Amino acid sequence: MQLYARFRASSAKWAFPFALGIPLAYYFLNGGAPPPHNFGYAATIVSHPLEMTYAFAYATASGLAAWESGTLKADRIWELGSVRSRFHIAAEALTPVLSLSWLVLLTPVLIALVQTATFPTFASLLPLEMSLVVCIAHCVIGFAAGYRLPRLVAAPLMTVMTWVLVAFSASTTPFWLRHISGQYPEYLMFGEQATLGSLVPHILFAGGIAIGLCLLWLPFRPRLPRMALSLAAGLACCALAVSMAHGWNYNPPIEVDKAPMKCVGGNPQICMPEATAKSLPAVQRDTLSVLATMKTFGGIKEMPHSIVDDITTGRMSVASTPTRWRVGLTAGEQSDDLRLRIMDAAIQFPCSSPNLVVSREVRLWAATITGQIGEYDRRIGEEPPFAGQGEAQREVTRILRLPRAQQTEWYEERISSACGKGS
């Protein structure tokens, strides 16, 4: 039977407008399109529309597979003694269903790629590839349900149950539930990339159930060993999936710094994503200017080897090191506070929570010598009122009257004394 003829005889034909229309409505009307500031990053553009599509694709696969299975049973196909194997008959019945569920996943992604004129990379397609495999598993699970239950019960039951279990997995606890549901829990932000290890539990869980069900159809007797093999295989895959995801928190393991970068200069080398690198000359000029002033006043002992834009770390926080600073270069250029961000990066206290009065004095002094007092005042104005602000202002006014060497000594003393016991 030709694929088109098979599609015309399948329930996929009648479900087509609904199965495809709902994800498209989400895409165009409910925020499914990629975020505006995506910088043409393929992983973001592919994963964002998928975030609202996984559950619909799996529900389509499971519900329609249950209906097709029930139809075969109602037509007594299994009693005909066909020369084709059960697996062959099931595969033919499920081909249109699987094709439609894949189309549900692929269509929003293709629209997003065309709208943003972005060519996908292999790594950016990993969440999509994972979901295509999980669709196969849901076809098998739905088919098994339709084999045992009446199709008028199995089809709506599997559709609703699959959608609910997948769609609500992201808002449930424990966290490992969201990492085995087949729905990658977050869209990938700029610079992020899904790891293979974060995708495997999704495939293992649904795939393990599907493999267990397939083993029940193996053409050998007695029945008990076959059921034992099916149960063992399914439980082993599901247990492995849960054990892999059990220690993960809200987010799965994600790689960062995967956006293409462009670097200029040396000592320090300044790096920004290629997507925002048009402002790199201006960023380099402002950065070197601030660093030169800070070095002249003793605010920096050693220049870093590189200063890297932290926009490529996505949702993760990656700490700076003495030789490699992480600074919001793109964000600073866009908000016109780049020089203040570089100044803050240059002030390195030996602890994470320095004394508030001392840190205000040091930052006020640095903002004054680098010509950033206006931006500093604006930033401070956005913070909660601070009782010691007047004290810090008087101290800095006094220090600025001193010779440069004494200002350097004061700065070093304040940095070393900012971290008392418990800081």
Side-chain angles (χ1 to χ4, degrees):
M1 188 185 293
Q2 297 296 321
L3 179 60
Y4 179 68
R6 200 177 294 143
F7 176 77
R8 290 183 60 188
S10 171
S11 57
K13 174 184 176 182
W14 311 109
F16 180 87
F18 305 100
L20 202 58
I22 293 175
L24 289 179
Y26 267 92
Y27 183 92
F28 289 108
L29 304 176
N30 200 35
H37 302 296
N38 56 67
F39 300 109
Y41 186 59
T44 299
I45 292 166
V46 170
S47 63
H48 194 278
L50 281 174
E51 195 175 20
M52 297 185 179
T53 309
Y54 294 111
F56 290 108
Y58 302 153
T60 298
S62 187
L64 295 184
W67 183 267
E68 291 301 313
S69 179
T71 300
L72 292 175
K73 185 173 66 173
D75 293 341
R76 299 187 174 182
I77 297 297
W78 309 123
E79 301 174 13
L80 296 180
S82 173
V83 295
R84 296 176 299 169
S85 71
R86 284 185 167 189
F87 292 104
H88 189 176
I89 295 172
E92 283 191 342
L94 291 177
T95 297
V97 173
L98 181 61
S99 300
L100 178 57
S101 66
W102 280 1
L103 196 61
V104 171
L105 291 166
L106 289 168
T107 301
V109 171
L110 290 174
I111 293 173
L113 290 170
V114 171
Q115 282 185 331
T116 57
T118 302
F119 191 81
T121 62
F122 174 79
S124 70
L125 294 174
L126 286 176
L128 174 62
E129 293 161 357
M130 174 272 293
S131 62
L132 296 178
V133 175
V134 175
C135 274
I136 300 174
H138 278 287
C139 278
V140 174
I141 295 169
F143 195 87
Y147 184 78
R148 292 295 178 187
L149 298 172
R151 59 183 174 179
L152 290 175
V153 174
L157 176 65
M158 294 306 296
T159 300
V160 174
M161 186 172 68
T162 301
W163 184 84
V164 169
L165 290 176
V166 174
F168 287 90
S169 63
S171 59
T172 56
T173 54
F175 288 139
W176 58 262
L177 289 171
R178 64 183 11 236
H179 301 303
I180 64 171
S181 67
Q183 175 175 260
Y184 203 72
E186 296 287 342
Y187 78 88
L188 296 165
M189 299 174 67
F190 186 70
E192 293 181 339
Q193 182 175 296
T195 63
L196 285 173
S198 68
L199 301 172
V200 169
H202 297 281
I203 297 174
L204 269 177
F205 191 80
I209 297 173
I211 289 171
L213 293 171
C214 287
L215 291 175
L216 287 173
W217 267 21
L218 287 177
F220 69 80
R221 297 178 183 277
R223 185 179 180 185
L224 188 59
R226 189 176 55 193
M227 293 179 63
L229 178 62
S230 167
L231 184 62
L235 287 177
C237 290
C238 292
L240 182 57
V242 172
S243 67
M244 289 180 66
H246 193 267
W248 298 349
N249 58 21
Y250 187 84
N251 294 306
I254 295 175
E255 293 181 318
V256 297
D257 289 334
K258 294 301 179 180
M261 303 291 284
K262 182 177 181 180
C263 301
V264 296
N267 195 32
Q269 185 182 61
I270 300 173
C271 300
M272 293 180 69
E274 290 181 358
T276 63
K278 63 181 180 181
S279 58
L280 193 50
V283 168
Q284 183 187 31
R285 182 178 61 250
D286 288 344
T287 299
L288 294 180
S289 172
V290 173
L291 293 179
T293 302
M294 292 290 288
K295 188 171 180 62
T296 299
F297 279 82
I300 301 175
K301 294 301 180 184
E302 282 190 45
M303 289 287 190
H305 296 162
S306 62
I307 299 176
V308 182
D309 198 338
D310 70 0
I311 193 176
T312 60
T313 63
R315 78 203 69 217
M316 304 300 175
S317 177
V318 180
S320 296
T321 67
T323 59
R324 184 180 176 88
W325 293 1
R326 296 274 185 173
V327 183
L329 301 179
T330 296
E333 181 66 15
Q334 292 175 345
S335 59
D336 203 27
D337 64 351
L338 174 65
R339 293 172 64 90
L340 191 67
R341 289 172 184 255
I342 298 297
M343 180 205 81
D344 283 334
I347 301 172
Q348 298 185 4
F349 291 101
C351 63
S352 58
S353 302
N355 179 275
L356 186 55
V357 174
V358 175
S359 65
R360 285 283 180 94
E361 290 176 355
V362 169
R363 292 184 70 238
L364 178 58
W365 171 81
T368 304
I369 65 171
T370 56
Q372 296 304 298
I373 191 64
E375 184 60 33
Y376 171 81
D377 288 340
R378 185 192 66 79
R379 180 86 62 85
I380 290 298
E382 297 174 353
E383 298 179 6
F386 171 55
Q389 183 64 28
E391 177 186 345
Q393 182 70 57
R394 287 189 295 272
E395 174 66 8
V396 171
T397 300
R398 181 185 70 83
I399 292 302
L400 289 171
R401 298 194 186 102
L402 300 177
R404 184 179 300 173
Q406 289 182 268
Q407 291 188 43
T408 300
E409 291 177 5
W410 172 87
Y411 174 81
E412 292 174 350
E413 185 276 327
R414 300 308 275 167
I415 288 291
S416 62
S417 67
C419 298
K421 186 176 180 181
S423 294

